[in-house]
């Protein structure tokens, strides 16, 4: 669309460009956001930036159209190759056709605009589409040509990661995806284009270096990552702006730090949220759910939380309690509390249409629900039958919804589980033109869909922060880039099938690489019936997933750990116990994430990006930087092919020393999930406890492995925001072959009663 570059103009940190025959009102621009982040922007909408993922000072500045002074821009000059924009760490060169190329400081190309002709694509004729559809196939219409798009060159060795909860393998190269929050109950397959979450951020790992692209357009967006051609990838949208951030960095980790600098970092949660959670859709009564709590304790299974699914509500009306079946909610929850069990209650956005129901009446009176273009309140169907949709993009609606959380907090709940917020609808999809609000102006569903869950999470977070005074525990199914500031997440309705435990590993890893560090799958699988073997393997995977929740659907075989016989019960206990031992390690990782954006659970490639063997490794992951997990995800398997990257490793179970950079087979009977600890690692542990807080968290155990290593350990009250005023301890721990030195970097919280160092070695285990 753009022709010859004719002039440029520097305004603060932005450089605006003009091209031959360029429409007057379109002024493409490149802005240096930081030393290694550039924003590329074409204001097709005429409304400027309308980012909902970047908040705080930067987001406000972008949205207001204000510019900074020169900011991080070092120089701009017209050279042979085009207009050269330099920061201290990167260079962007803009040339004819608004081609933007990015180089590192040494002049090495990181990402170039694609120069060649675009392939005609794999578009099908009308006849071919008809034929395919006759047998019920969805016709893959080939790469869509869209109004807003960018085509960038791919190198042979480039691998692509991120993109949120997308299905399939870790490396997304060669595949095409869409960003449109989707509730599709069919068992998910590798070829699903979209799921519940839209996170239009990808990381590209090159032979040398890495970079990220964050396409901040919350309309429906498309990513073709080398499906159409080996030579380029395309991202685009039907509408909105071309608004993307190029994030440079030395490696994948620094790209992630850059992305979370823009969109925010997953904050510290309450410590108990890292414990074990039990859930099920279909605990029909107070009596049934009480039994679950009692069974947990009877079987000596540590457990911190039981989730209350839609069954607790009165006719699925949000912010109500079913007094008939669930009796006195306050009493149930306070009895749970006495047992050390917290309750998380589900809330859906769909508000039942019912005269006299306060939430409905208030929302109608205030005009808080989405409307049809004719101004009628828009009605579709969700669990309660006819339902209306709160317009969360309206700040007033968010304040109202935040206040509604008080109902749950007063009842004694400890967190909220936001579901069905794509938003889901049972009578066909919401039409594109349903009218919502985008902060200060009406906006169609098409534009608001992908941020509906995000705005709902934001409202819930604000409410819990204000009325509970604790760190809000919000879980969501749908979200957008930046939601990690407000909410944790789970991967929605998976099934109790082996392909879904396999898929969980790359899915969780890519979610972590997309900013959502606190994430988990429904352990055992949500739909379909779980088998004892599958459950045993899934509890092993769950043990190392940040959100560790057993959940399943109404009508499916019961799935609590004691439902599968003695062997599986004792395997479950073994891994839930291990999880409780590892709580301080998880907590340290959560702190690291808050500070840097590096997720708790990581694909191997994030830690060992030079290692060719891990670029496509789908069945192993790192928990932090020190523990490698190689879960068994195949039915019948009693051995596992393990790959350990360079260095020395120790088998967690036997202490056997293993040299890295090799594949080997380890036996993996049903009760063994292979785990390897890096040489020199120190793993902080707590003794097993039935729930967080039932001892004083007084004893810290440091397991030191042979070798040299160091780490940071973090400790605070695990509950509120006092740590932000300095009420925490931070220890620097160094390990010289089992000689462990502990120093304090920061003192602001009470000391441990005792710190016990346990030296591990192949001789002493
Ligand atoms: C949706 C959720 C699931 C929940 C069910 C009933 O399917 O994804 O987790 O149990 O609704 O609320």
């Amino acid at each position: 669309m753009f022709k010859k570059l004719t002039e440029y103009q520097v305004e603060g940190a932005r450089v605006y460009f003009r091209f031959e025959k360029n429409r007057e009102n379109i002024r493409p621009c490149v802005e240096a956001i930081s030393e290694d982040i550039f924003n590329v922007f074409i204001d097709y909408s005429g409304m400027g930036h309308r980012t909902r993922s970047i908040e705080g000072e930067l987001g406000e500045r972008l949205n207001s159209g204000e510019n900074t002074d020169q900011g991080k821009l070092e120089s701009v000059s017209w050279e042979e190759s085009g207009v050269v924009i330099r920061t201290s760490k990167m260079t962007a060169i803009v040339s004819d056709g608004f081609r933007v190329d990015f180089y590192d400081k040494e002049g090495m190309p990181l990402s170039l605009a694609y120069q060649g002709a675009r392939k005609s694509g794999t578009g099908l004729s009308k006849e071919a589409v008809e034929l395919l559809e006759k047998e019920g196939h969805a016709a893959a219409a080939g790469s869509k040509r869209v109004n807003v798009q960018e085509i960038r060159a791919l190198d042979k060795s480039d691998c692509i990661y991120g993109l949120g909860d997308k299905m399939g393998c870790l490396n997304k190269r060669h595949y095409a995806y869409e960003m449109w929050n989707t509730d599709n109950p069919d068992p998910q397959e590798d070829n699903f284009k979209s799921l519940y979450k839209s996170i239009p951020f990808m990381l590209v790992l090159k032979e040398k270096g890495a970079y990220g692209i964050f396409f901040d357009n919350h309309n429906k967006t498309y990513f073709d990552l080398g499906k159409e051609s080996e030579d380029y990838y395309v991202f685009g949208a039907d509408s909105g702006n071309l608004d993307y951030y190029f994030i440079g960095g030395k490696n994948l980790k620094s790209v992630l730090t850059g992305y979370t600098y823009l969109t925010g970092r997953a904050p510290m949660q309450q410590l108990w949220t890292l414990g074990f959670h039990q859930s099920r859709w279909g605990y029909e009564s107070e009596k049934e759910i009480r039994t679950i709590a009692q069974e947990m304790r009877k079987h000596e299974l540590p457990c911190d939380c039981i989730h209350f699914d839609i069954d607790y509500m009165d006719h699925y009306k949000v912010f109500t309690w079913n007094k008939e079946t669930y009796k006195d909610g306050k009493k149930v929850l306070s009895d749970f509390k006495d047992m050390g069990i917290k309750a998380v209650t589900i809330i859906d956005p769909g508000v039942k249409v019912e005269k006299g129901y306060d939430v409905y009446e208030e929302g109608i009176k205030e005009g808080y629900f989405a409307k049809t273009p004719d101004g009628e309140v828009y009605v579709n169907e969700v669990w309660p039958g006819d339902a209306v949709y709160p317009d969360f993009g309206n700040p007033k609606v968010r304040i109202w919804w935040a206040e509604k959380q008080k109902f749950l907090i007063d009842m004694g709940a400890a967190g909220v589980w936001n579901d069905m917020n794509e938003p889901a609808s049972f009578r066909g999809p919401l039409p594109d033109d349903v009218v919502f609000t985008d902060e200060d102006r009406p906006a169609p569903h098409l534009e608001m869909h992908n941020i509906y869950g995000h705005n709902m999470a934001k409202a819930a977070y604000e409410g819990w922060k204000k009325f509970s005074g604790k760190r809000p525990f919000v879980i969501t199914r749908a979200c957008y880039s930046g939601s990690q500031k407000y909410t944790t997440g789970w991967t929605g309705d998976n099934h109790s099938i082996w392909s879904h435990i396999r898929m969980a590993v790359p899915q969780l890893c890519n979610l972590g690489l997309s900013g959502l560090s606190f994430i988990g799958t429904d352990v055992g699988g949500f739909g379909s019936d779980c088998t004892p073997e599958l459950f045993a393997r899934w509890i092993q995977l769950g043990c190392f997933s940040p959100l560790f929740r057993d959940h399943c659907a109404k009508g499916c075989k019961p799935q609590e750990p004691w439902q599968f016989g003695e062997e599986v019960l004792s395997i479950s206990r073994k891994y839930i116990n291990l999880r409780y031992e590892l709580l301080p390690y998880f907590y340290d990782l959560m702190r690291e994430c808050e500070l840097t954006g590096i997720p708790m659970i990581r694909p191997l490639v994030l830690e060992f990006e030079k290692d060719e063997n891990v670029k496509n490794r789908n069945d192993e992951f790192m928990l932090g930087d020190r523990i490698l997990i190689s879960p068994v995800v195949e039915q019948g398997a009693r051995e596992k092919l393990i790959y350990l990257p360079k260095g020395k490793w120790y088998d967690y179970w036997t202490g056997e020393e293993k040299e890295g950079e090799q594949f080997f087979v380890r036996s993996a009977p049903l009760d063994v999930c292979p785990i390897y600890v890096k040489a020199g690692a120190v793993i902080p542990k707590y003794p097993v406890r039935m729930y967080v807080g039932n001892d004083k968290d007084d004893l810290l155990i440091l397991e030191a492995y042979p070798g040299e290593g160091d780490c940071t350990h973090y400790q605070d009250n695990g509950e509120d925001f006092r740590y932000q005023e300095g009420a925490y301890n931070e220890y620097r721990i160094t390990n010289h072959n089992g000689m462990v030195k502990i120093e304090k970097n920061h003192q602001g919280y009470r000391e441990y009663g005792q710190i016990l160092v346990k030296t591990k070695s192949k001789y002493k285990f």
Side-chain angles (χ1 to χ4, degrees):
M1 153 188 190
F2 296 103
K3 299 198 160 63
K4 201 171 163 40
L5 177 58
T6 53
E7 56 184 272
Y8 74 90
Q9 202 174 355
V10 184
E11 290 178 21
R14 286 187 197 141
V15 187
Y16 289 92
F17 299 91
R18 204 156 279 291
F19 298 85
E20 227 170 60
K21 297 193 184 138
N22 187 171
R23 275 197 350 246
E24 271 304 303
N25 56 347
I26 302 251
R27 292 174 83 209
C29 93
V30 174
E31 173 173 353
I33 300 286
S34 71
E35 283 159 338
D36 35 30
I37 304 178
F38 284 110
N39 173 243
V40 178
F41 188 63
I42 307 178
D43 189 7
Y44 289 122
S45 71
M47 289 187 290
H49 286 279
R50 291 194 72 88
T51 180
R52 299 293 164 242
S53 53
I54 305 176
E55 296 185 70
E57 225 173 277
L58 176 61
E60 276 164 31
R61 183 175 70 67
L62 287 167
N63 286 342
S64 70
E66 263 172 45
N67 207 336
T68 52
D69 51 14
Q70 213 176 312
K72 299 294 174 193
L73 205 56
E74 277 203 337
S75 68
V76 184
S77 56
W78 201 312
E79 296 175 17
E80 211 178 305
S81 49
V83 174
V84 181
I85 308 169
R86 287 196 176 84
T87 70
S88 63
K89 291 197 183 150
M90 285 206 332
T91 303
I93 303 184
V94 179
S95 53
D96 295 347
F98 195 44
R99 280 199 285 265
V100 192
D101 298 328
F102 299 98
Y103 299 83
D104 72 5
K105 204 176 156 200
E106 278 73 47
M108 185 185 73
L110 277 173
S111 168
L112 304 178
Y114 177 65
Q115 301 271 4
R118 185 167 176 187
K119 273 199 181 166
S120 56
T122 48
L124 295 170
S125 67
K126 208 166 138 253
E127 292 73 33
V129 171
E130 275 171 18
L131 196 65
L132 276 164
E133 285 179 348
K134 271 196 184 139
E135 209 202 340
H137 301 282
S143 297
K144 214 177 142 165
R145 298 298 199 253
V146 286
N147 300 330
V148 179
Q149 72 175 20
E150 175 72 7
I151 311 182
R152 305 200 63 80
L154 268 177
D155 282 340
K156 263 216 155 44
S157 62
D158 290 354
C159 294
I160 303 178
Y161 307 105
L163 292 145
D165 64 348
K166 296 288 176 265
M167 309 301 304
C169 308
L170 183 68
N171 181 358
K172 298 298 182 204
R173 183 168 182 163
H174 305 296
Y175 296 99
Y177 298 100
E178 285 174 15
M179 295 291 170
W180 185 251
N181 292 357
T182 304
D183 170 30
N184 178 351
D186 294 340
Q188 299 143 11
E189 297 283 353
D190 280 11
N191 62 356
F192 271 36
K193 294 237 173 320
S194 49
L195 267 182
Y196 307 95
K197 305 175 178 60
S198 289
I199 308 190
F201 166 62
M202 56 190 247
L203 302 99
V204 181
L205 178 63
K206 306 186 68 63
E207 206 173 346
K208 275 197 190 144
Y211 69 90
I213 296 279
F214 169 39
F215 181 31
D216 192 9
N217 180 322
H218 53 255
N219 294 270
K220 191 175 203 169
T221 56
Y222 306 90
F223 286 77
D224 179 321
L225 306 177
K227 170 189 161 182
E228 183 177 297
S229 161
E230 273 301 294
D231 301 330
Y232 57 80
Y233 61 90
V234 188
F235 56 91
D238 291 322
S239 46
N241 296 325
L242 183 77
D243 183 358
Y244 73 90
Y245 295 82
F246 176 85
I247 306 165
K250 290 191 299 294
N251 49 35
L252 289 174
K253 279 192 180 174
S254 51
V255 171
L256 206 39
T257 297
Y259 170 69
T260 52
Y261 159 77
L262 292 172
T263 61
R265 293 183 180 137
M268 291 304 287
Q269 292 282 338
Q270 297 177 62
L271 181 61
W272 68 263
T273 63
L274 287 168
F276 180 64
H277 301 235
Q278 180 60 51
S279 180
R280 164 165 208 154
W281 171 24
Y283 292 145
E284 305 276 355
S285 65
E286 165 259 357
K287 197 162 160 241
E288 201 177 332
I289 212 160
R290 278 181 189 274
T291 313
I292 298 298
Q294 286 149 8
E295 293 283 310
M296 276 295 161
R297 294 295 178 242
K298 190 180 107 197
H299 294 294
E300 293 187 357
L301 293 163
C303 174
D304 258 278
C305 182
I306 293 184
H307 289 234
F308 285 59
D309 206 322
I310 49 174
D311 319 274
Y312 81 87
M313 293 181 216
D314 173 20
H315 292 91
Y316 307 134
K317 287 184 282 186
V318 290
F319 308 111
T320 68
W321 195 269
N322 190 329
K323 296 202 177 77
E324 237 167 77
T325 53
Y326 264 77
K327 306 277 184 303
D328 179 350
K330 280 196 177 156
K331 172 90 175 79
V332 180
L333 268 46
S334 97
D335 291 348
F336 270 30
K337 209 173 181 179
D338 293 342
M339 299 170 79
I341 292 181
K342 290 110 200 144
V344 162
T345 39
I346 199 168
I347 287 290
D348 299 326
V351 172
K352 185 174 172 62
V353 175
E354 185 182 278
K355 280 229 148 49
Y357 164 38
D358 58 345
V359 183
Y360 174 71
E361 295 278 4
E362 279 168 38
I364 290 287
K365 185 164 153 253
E366 301 295 337
Y368 285 167
F369 300 123
K371 299 201 171 62
T372 67
D374 303 334
E376 300 287 318
V377 172
Y378 174 76
V379 182
N380 201 309
E381 185 186 336
V382 211
W383 303 120
D386 280 359
V388 290
Y389 293 82
D391 180 10
F392 294 121
N394 176 347
K396 283 194 193 139
V397 176
R398 288 201 296 273
I399 292 173
W400 173 62
W401 200 256
E403 278 182 359
K404 290 276 152 246
Q405 310 295 318
K406 262 168 88 175
F407 173 83
L408 305 172
I409 297 166
D410 293 346
M411 191 67 73
V416 66
W417 163 21
N418 286 349
D419 189 20
M420 311 294 277
N421 49 358
E422 294 69 37
S425 48
F426 295 169
R427 272 201 307 263
L430 273 70
D432 290 348
D433 60 0
V434 170
V435 185
F436 288 85
T437 306
D438 184 18
E439 302 301 314
D440 51 4
R441 67 174 181 115
H445 169 234
L446 189 64
E447 203 182 308
M448 299 307 289
H449 180 86
N450 281 345
I451 52 172
Y452 192 74
H454 173 83
N455 282 327
M456 183 186 183
K458 189 168 165 175
Y461 176 91
E462 296 301 346
W464 283 80
K465 185 166 182 188
K466 187 162 170 197
F467 302 115
S468 79
K470 306 231 168 101
R471 302 172 203 164
F473 183 51
V474 182
I475 311 176
T476 196
R477 194 168 74 172
C479 66
Y480 182 69
S481 285
S483 303
Q484 68 269 13
K485 297 184 285 275
Y486 305 115
T487 184
T488 70
W490 96 107
T491 56
D493 297 349
N494 56 2
H495 281 252
S496 305
I497 52 181
W498 286 92
S499 60
H500 278 192
I501 188 176
R502 272 200 299 279
M503 140 196 124
V505 179
Q507 194 180 25
L508 292 172
C509 287
N510 272 323
L511 277 159
L513 290 179
S514 309
L516 267 183
S517 175
F518 201 124
I519 190 83
T521 57
D522 284 346
V523 167
F526 174 73
S528 313
D529 302 314
C530 195
T531 64
E533 183 184 2
L534 180 58
F535 189 80
R537 292 308 190 188
W538 217 315
I539 205 104
Q540 294 167 10
L541 173 63
C543 170
F544 306 105
S545 308
L547 179 64
F548 186 12
R549 184 182 73 159
D550 175 0
H551 180 55
C552 79
K554 208 184 184 76
C556 296
K557 188 177 155 61
Q559 207 167 277
E560 295 78 25
W562 54 86
Q563 305 283 4
F564 302 94
E566 268 311 311
E567 188 189 8
V568 175
L569 173 60
S570 96
I571 292 174
S572 302
R573 193 180 298 111
K574 170 173 167 183
Y575 285 89
I576 301 176
N577 283 349
L578 174 57
R579 170 60 171 241
Y580 277 75
E581 288 186 70
L582 287 173
L583 282 179
Y585 182 59
F586 269 97
Y587 204 58
D588 284 349
L589 298 178
M590 195 146 79
R591 174 66 172 172
E592 183 186 352
C593 181
E594 181 177 73
L595 298 175
T596 64
I598 307 302
M600 294 188 253
I601 151 170
R602 313 170 181 176
L604 266 54
V605 70
L606 191 63
E607 291 293 329
F608 306 94
E609 67 181 42
K610 298 271 176 297
D611 186 337
E612 283 302 321
N613 288 321
V614 304
K615 291 186 173 169
N616 292 295
R617 197 113 214 106
N618 286 294
D619 66 348
E620 290 184 336
F621 60 91
M622 295 294 294
L623 183 63
D625 61 346
R626 279 158 276 168
I627 304 183
L628 183 147
I629 314 292
S630 192
V632 176
V633 291
E634 299 295 337
Q635 191 204 6
R638 295 294 181 267
E639 288 182 322
K640 174 88 197 266
L641 179 68
I642 313 274
Y643 178 73
L644 298 177
K646 199 173 179 164
K648 253 196 188 68
W649 299 81
Y650 291 89
D651 186 309
Y652 177 81
W653 302 112
T654 63
E656 189 188 351
E657 191 178 289
K658 281 277 172 196
E659 206 48 60
E661 269 190 311
Q662 59 157 333
F663 289 90
F664 59 94
V665 174
R666 192 209 190 276
S667 74
L670 192 58
D671 69 331
V672 172
C673 170
I675 305 172
Y676 290 87
V677 182
K678 229 174 161 181
V682 175
I683 309 295
K685 280 186 165 184
Y686 286 154
V688 174
R689 60 208 49 200
M690 282 300 116
Y691 57 92
V692 168
N694 84 326
D695 76 6
K696 293 198 184 68
D697 298 335
D698 237 20
L699 171 63
L700 178 73
I701 302 159
L702 297 176
E703 286 186 354
Y705 285 78
E708 305 282 312
D710 52 34
C711 63
T712 310
H713 173 63
Y714 176 84
Q715 181 200 16
D716 65 17
N717 73 9
E719 255 187 38
D720 55 30
F721 288 93
R722 266 176 278 181
Y723 75 104
Q724 290 180 350
E725 271 98 56
Y728 68 89
N729 292 338
E730 192 185 277
Y731 307 82
R732 180 93 207 129
I733 301 171
T734 39
N735 175 15
H736 300 287
N737 257 318
M739 294 293 295
V740 172
K741 197 161 113 204
I742 306 165
E743 291 156 298
K744 278 247 179 73
N745 282 348
H746 180 91
Q747 160 99 47
Y749 186 63
R750 70 167 171 77
E751 306 260 327
Y752 284 109
Q754 195 192 353
I755 298 181
L756 193 70
V757 176
K758 283 192 182 166
T759 314
K760 296 270 191 182
S761 79
K762 56 181 167 180
Y763 308 109
K764 187 172 162 228
F765 213 67

